[in-house]
Amino acid sequence: DQQVKQNSPSLSVQEGRISILNCDYTNSMFDYFLWYKKYPAEGPTFLISISSIKDKNEDGRFTVFLNKSAKHLSLHIVPSQPGDSAVYFCAARTFSAGGTSYGKLTFGQGTILTVHP
Amino acid sequence: DSGVTQTPKHLITATGQRVTLRCSPRSGDLSVYWYQQSLDQGLQFLIQYYNGEERAKGNILERFSAQQFPDLHSELNLSSLELGDSALYFCASSPTRQGGGYTFGSGTRLTVV
């Protein structure tokens, strides 16, 4: 049961243009969403996050949008740079007060972003 | 350097063997999480420990076990290894039980031959 899905395995964009990475989820109990970036031979690094009570969060060139009714979130990178080329993972957290699911993150399969000079 | 240390970085072993992967969390972080990334797969949650206690379990095989020690480092034990266990194993840590933004280690690449 894939609760977090990234349906595009790869995305290729030109330097300076916008990159849009998409993510869909099925679990209504997710309360927090995150994007991670991963370079080869390194662990994923945290990029940006958004609480389920918000619909947008911006940090420099990176903006995450959340559409709760559609259970969809997206990461926009503007402008894209060659150094942004990496695998991007969408993740969602289930916070269960009194339960045993504290902090567990469910990840999508990742999207390989390639930014061409 | 993320502050989360995983050893070894690479491990090659034969089917049927047992290995131990080690993780030292970032200083001050009490939660440790183990994830498996197989070829073309996302990160699959295996298990979480908080201050020495198991807190959540994911798709972890019975052949796999983990523990977190009083000094907060954690070990993931994989036994009766099969070819399909070949994967990247990541450890992550976070400061609170609620998690949020994890800090990941650089992973251990396990190859079972």
Side-chain angles (χ1 to χ4, degrees), chain B residues 2-3 6 8-10 35 50 52 57 65 72 83 90 111:
Chain B
S2 68
Q6 287 189 249
K9 290 196 181 309
H10 301 277
Y35 282 81
Y50 173 78
K57 224 168 183 176
S65 64
L72 300 177
L83 295 177
F90 288 103
T111 303

Side-chain angles (χ1 to χ4, degrees), chain A residues 36 43 93 95 100 102-103 105, chain B residues 35 48 55-56 97-98 102 105:
Chain A
Y36 280 80
R93 186 188 75 183
F95 179 76
T100 59
Y102 285 109
L105 291 183
Chain B
Y35 282 81
Q48 176 200 356
R55 278 298 175 181
R97 288 197 303 183
Q98 290 84 347
Y102 296 168

Side-chain angles (χ1 to χ4, degrees), chain A residues 32 34 36 38 41-44 46 89 93 95 100-105 107-109, chain B residues 33 35 37 41-43 45 48 55-56 88 90 97-102 104-106:
Chain A
Y32 204 72
L34 308 93
Y36 280 80
K38 184 182 180 304
E42 295 181 12
F46 170 72
F89 289 99
R93 186 188 75 183
F95 179 76
T100 59
S101 298
Y102 285 109
K104 171 192 161 186
L105 291 183
F107 284 83
Q109 287 141 311
Chain B
Y33 310 80
Y35 282 81
Q37 185 185 20
Q41 295 287 320
L43 291 149
F45 171 71
Q48 176 200 356
R55 278 298 175 181
L88 267 169
F90 288 103
R97 288 197 303 183
Q98 290 84 347
Y102 296 168
F104 277 88
S106 56

